[in-house]
Amino acid sequence: MNLAEIFQTLIGRDLKIRFTAYDGSSAGPQDAKYGLDLRDPRGTTYLVTAPGDLGLARAYVSGDLELVGAHPGDPYEALHALADDLQFSKPGPLAMAHVAKAIGIEHFKPIAPPPQESLPRWRRFAEGLRHSKTRDAEVIHYHYDVSNRFYELVLGPSMTYTCAVYPDRDASLETAQENKYRLIFEKLALKPGDRLLDIGCGWGGMVRYAASRGVHALGVTLSQEQAEWGQQAILDDGLSEFAEIRHSDYRDVPETDFDAVSSIGLTEHIGLANYPAYFSFIRDRLRPGGLMLNHCITRPDNRTRSKAGAFIDRYVFPDGELTGSGTIISKLQDVGGMEVLHEENFREHYAMTLRDWNAYLVENWDAAVAEVGEGTAKLWGLYMAGCRIGFENDIVQLHHVLAVKLDKDRAPNSPLRPWWQP
């Protein structure tokens, strides 16, 4: 068997893409717009020892597998074409014996993954309790402390790494991110003199938006680089009187009686088992009648497994867990003293956000590679394009959940109808 035949054994023979390999073999239509080029034996080992998306990611990030016909900063169209073909199935014992004989048993011996890959879940568990403060800090450092300069190249001037809210389909990313902060600000009914706590604040976009409107805003993040960048932005904008970004675990915030709490893109890192403590913390930081807004990626149902797949867990969000909006709402209701007022799905908006991030990466490709290396830049292009497909295909969604802390008489002290502009 040559490598092209082995590839077909793993994914099927009715290929619409073109596959070529370093042994000179090929498969699939010669005129296919997109394809895969297996460039060296190390790639074969990655594909054989980790069949599926993890092996493909290892070979691609390391440069052993090339995606033909697409820019690495935005392989969205190519991934669409590949999705029809890459249906990995486990061959039977006889087929695997033929594969082993053809390529050599040495390819079935695991080798070190690319340096961009995090530890497997069992190793992370052995080295620290899941979602302990220490382990959460390490996970956030892995994902968010890549390089502030790299994030500037990918996220654009808004420096916001969460789903934007597009006022129309032709709006720019910067307009949509500003509109997202405006929407959350209005949903939280904030006004000058109020106090806002933003947990998992990133580079401080929500903090600075609120502070520029006279709200006293405290943001907390586990990322040292985010905190330093955000605090400098506060100084540059002349907002020190109203804004602070603290390098801290949100669970260590001692202040209480906030008028509002926002959580924008943090819940994905919390872990389902910790939802009761998470929502209890938010409730206990609010004054009676205070509002909270939870913004996070969700599943389209409440039955799907919560833990991320191998690629996402090892290369993007270690320890990440997602669930349906119904689970989030029920866990919030169960802590007591909180009433859910409104929920909203922004699935299409996240697909558009990812589209625009990929476009920035393409535009700034050379600078991004110079900053973090080609392997990491390719990883981000792949991850964002793949996630875009996930949102378009309703594999994942993005929900806002708005809730209020009831007073002692169980009165919400909020208007009868939604008071914000859509």
Side-chain angles (χ1 to χ4, degrees):
M1 297 176 73
N2 59 39
L3 290 170
E5 290 171 331
I6 292 171
F7 186 79
Q8 289 176 304
T9 297
L10 293 173
I11 70 168
R13 296 188 174 273
D14 187 22
L15 294 179
K16 300 180 183 63
I17 62 167
R18 181 74 171 167
F19 177 82
T20 55
Y22 57 88
D23 67 348
S25 63
S26 61
Q30 291 189 7
D31 61 349
K33 185 176 181 180
Y34 302 108
L36 292 171
D37 180 28
L38 185 59
R39 306 178 70 177
D40 57 49
R42 183 175 62 178
T44 300
T45 301
Y46 281 141
L47 294 176
V48 169
T49 55
D53 61 351
L54 182 58
L56 283 167
R58 287 173 173 171
Y60 178 71
V61 169
S62 65
D64 304 314
L65 183 69
E66 182 180 355
L67 187 56
V68 179
H71 192 291
D74 186 8
Y76 168 78
E77 296 290 349
L79 291 183
H80 250 307
L82 292 170
D84 293 333
D85 280 345
L86 298 182
Q87 305 296 326
F88 280 88
S89 59
K90 186 176 181 180
L94 182 59
M96 285 303 295
H98 285 307
V99 171
K101 182 178 180 181
I103 65 174
I105 194 65
E106 66 272 10
H107 283 294
F108 286 82
K109 298 177 181 178
I111 59 176
Q116 292 83 2
E117 184 169 317
S118 72
L119 293 173
R121 189 176 286 124
W122 69 268
R123 281 281 304 278
R124 298 198 302 269
F125 180 79
E127 296 184 11
L129 291 175
R130 187 180 181 88
H131 299 298
S132 66
K133 291 180 180 180
T134 299
R135 183 161 151 183
D136 279 353
E138 292 172 351
V139 166
I140 294 301
H141 171 75
Y142 169 83
H143 188 75
Y144 292 103
D145 288 346
V146 175
S147 157
N148 281 333
R149 176 58 181 155
F150 176 72
Y151 279 107
E152 289 172 351
L153 296 169
V154 174
L155 303 180
S158 62
M159 201 60 169
T160 297
Y161 185 37
T162 48
C163 175
V165 176
Y166 289 75
D168 57 70
R169 294 188 181 275
D170 296 326
S172 69
L173 175 61
E174 284 65 49
T175 297
Q177 291 291 16
E178 178 86 359
N179 187 54
K180 183 262 298 294
Y181 290 132
R182 188 273 312 164
L183 178 61
I184 294 174
F185 187 90
E186 291 185 6
K187 283 184 173 181
L188 291 173
L190 289 165
K191 60 185 183 301
D194 281 351
R195 297 172 63 237
L196 168 69
L197 172 63
D198 185 36
I199 56 178
C201 68
W203 291 272
M206 185 67 209
V207 169
R208 286 180 285 118
Y209 184 94
S212 68
R213 286 151 181 82
V215 170
H216 297 276
L218 168 63
V220 291
T221 174
L222 277 173
S223 166
Q224 179 72 48
E225 290 198 21
Q226 285 183 336
E228 291 174 356
W229 191 100
Q231 197 60 38
Q232 184 60 51
I234 288 171
L235 291 172
D236 293 343
D237 293 346
L239 296 172
S240 298
E241 179 185 353
F242 293 97
E244 176 192 353
I245 293 180
R246 190 178 296 170
H247 179 221
S248 168
D249 190 296
Y250 77 91
R251 289 165 286 194
D252 292 331
V253 173
E255 293 94 334
T256 59
D257 291 322
F258 287 95
D259 298 285
V261 174
S262 53
S263 175
I264 308 172
L266 175 64
T267 316
E268 299 91 332
H269 302 286
I270 294 296
L272 268 67
N274 296 313
Y275 279 13
Y278 166 69
F279 287 122
S280 294
F281 168 87
I282 293 175
R283 176 199 62 199
D284 294 345
R285 293 304 175 278
L286 286 168
R287 65 165 175 79
L291 294 159
M292 68 85 68
L293 188 289
N294 198 81
H295 163 129
C296 74
I297 301 171
T298 56
R299 299 287 189 191
D301 60 62
N302 300 287
R303 302 180 304 274
T304 307
R305 65 189 296 268
S306 62
K307 293 181 177 62
F311 169 64
I312 296 294
D313 183 64
R314 301 285 283 275
Y315 280 91
V316 185
F317 291 114
D319 291 351
E321 295 182 66
L322 303 179
T323 189
S325 58
T327 300
I328 291 171
I329 290 172
S330 66
K331 295 295 184 182
L332 174 56
Q333 291 172 325
D334 287 347
V335 301
M338 297 291 291
E339 182 173 352
V340 174
L341 300 175
H342 187 267
E343 69 85 26
E344 190 171 1
N345 185 6
F346 292 94
R347 175 168 69 90
E348 284 192 88
H349 295 259
Y350 217 154
M352 297 166 69
T353 304
L354 288 155
R355 173 202 65 195
D356 290 346
W357 288 341
N358 272 124
Y360 267 125
L361 182 54
V362 170
E363 180 181 343
N364 298 308
W365 180 252
D366 291 342
V369 171
E371 180 68 23
V372 299
E374 185 175 14
T376 297
K378 287 170 63 178
L379 167 63
W380 278 78
L382 177 70
Y383 145 63
M384 293 188 298
C387 286
R388 178 182 170 188
I389 293 172
F391 281 100
E392 289 178 342
N393 292 340
D394 198 24
I395 297 171
V396 279
Q397 300 177 348
L398 187 289
H399 275 83
H400 277 191
V401 175
L402 178 68
V404 62
K405 180 176 180 177
L406 301 173
D407 67 16
K408 60 182 177 60
D409 297 321
R410 300 197 63 78
N413 293 306
S414 57
L416 292 175
R417 298 289 299 156
W419 53 88
W420 57 89
Q421 292 296 315

